[in-house]
Amino acid sequence: LEERSRIAADIHDSIGHGLTSVIVQLQALPYMIEAAPDEARSTLKQVTDVARGCLQDVRTVVHEMGLVRPGEGQKELRKLADTFSERSGIPVAFTMDIPGTIAPEQLYVLYRILQEALTNMMRHAQATQAEVRLIGNKEGLVLTIRDNGVAQGPIQPGFGLTTMRERCAKSGGRLTVTPLAPHGLEITASLPFSAATPNNRGE
């Protein structure tokens, strides 16, 4: 059951994220073809690349090989935010202040949480801008994702938020979701430092 839950979460996070991007860009493509043919050709290439990536993820799951961790460096998080901005048209301000490196298993958790948060933003938030901040303090790592979308009041967690919470909990951390005033959403994932991750004091 635990393995089935893990596979379901990975399919949701990777393939779901990619297909959401494909759908959003395909919906805009007919307007681009008439108004900006060159931009339409570029978008079509991006959609094709994303679709190929989804196919590779499907093959990986089918062969029970597990998803390859998205890189061993912190640059993968920034790259994810930049790619999201390019595909969605929603500018994302990304800042990071980490003492040392992030352990691979924690990088994987943070990557999946950021990926799911951005996917939800593109699908539901109607946001026009977002902010992503990753910092390290004496307690551990803190990833914060904020948007200026339409969310208000108590948030009912769906599969995506539930999966993010479970990923944090399995890593010894926690995830909070806070509505902003007058509207918008803040998602905060806090993880304790791994034994492989140096803390602020360099120990």
Side-chain angles (χ1 to χ4, degrees):
L1 288 175
E2 182 177 350
E3 182 65 6
R4 288 177 65 180
S5 296
R6 182 193 67 79
I7 292 173
D10 280 349
I11 290 174
H12 178 268
D13 290 351
S14 61
I15 301 170
H17 175 83
L19 292 180
T20 297
S21 176
V22 167
I23 291 169
V24 169
Q25 292 184 86
L26 286 178
Q27 288 174 332
L29 198 55
Y31 304 99
M32 291 183 184
I33 291 174
E34 295 184 3
D38 291 340
E39 185 177 351
R41 282 190 286 271
S42 175
T43 297
L44 185 58
K45 182 181 183 302
Q46 292 177 8
V47 169
T48 303
D49 290 342
V50 173
R52 286 197 182 104
C54 290
L55 178 60
Q56 182 57 49
D57 283 343
V58 170
R59 287 171 173 163
T60 299
V61 172
V62 167
H63 291 287
E64 299 182 349
M65 294 171 60
L67 289 173
V68 177
R69 284 176 175 168
E72 299 294 330
Q74 300 168 19
K75 64 181 181 180
E76 295 296 331
L77 296 170
R78 186 182 301 275
K79 181 179 177 182
L80 177 61
D82 291 343
T83 301
F84 169 83
S85 293
E86 180 181 343
R87 292 175 178 169
S88 68
I90 303 172
V92 178
F94 188 100
T95 57
M96 180 165 53
D97 183 10
I98 298 296
T101 59
I102 303 174
E105 63 272 14
Q106 291 186 315
L107 177 65
Y108 183 72
V109 171
L110 294 172
Y111 186 97
R112 289 305 191 201
I113 289 172
L114 178 57
Q115 187 178 55
E116 175 60 23
L118 294 177
T119 299
N120 283 346
M121 186 190 309
M122 181 160 45
R123 293 177 61 188
H124 307 298
Q126 300 178 34
T128 59
Q129 62 183 24
E131 175 186 348
V132 176
R133 187 176 183 218
L134 178 61
I135 63 171
N137 55 38
K138 62 182 180 180
E139 286 80 23
L141 301 166
V142 181
L143 174 68
T144 305
I145 306 112
R146 297 167 59 101
D147 68 61
N148 66 342
V150 297
Q152 291 180 310
I155 304 299
Q156 297 298 322
F159 183 81
L161 285 177
T162 299
T163 299
M164 285 191 277
R165 283 201 172 104
E166 289 175 351
R167 287 190 188 278
C168 275
K170 287 181 179 180
S171 299
R174 63 188 180 90
L175 184 135
T176 59
V177 181
T178 307
L180 303 175
H183 53 79
L185 196 67
E186 178 179 281
I187 297 174
T188 303
S190 303
L191 300 178
F193 276 119
S194 165
T197 305
N199 60 23
N200 277 338
R201 296 168 293 182
E203 298 176 353

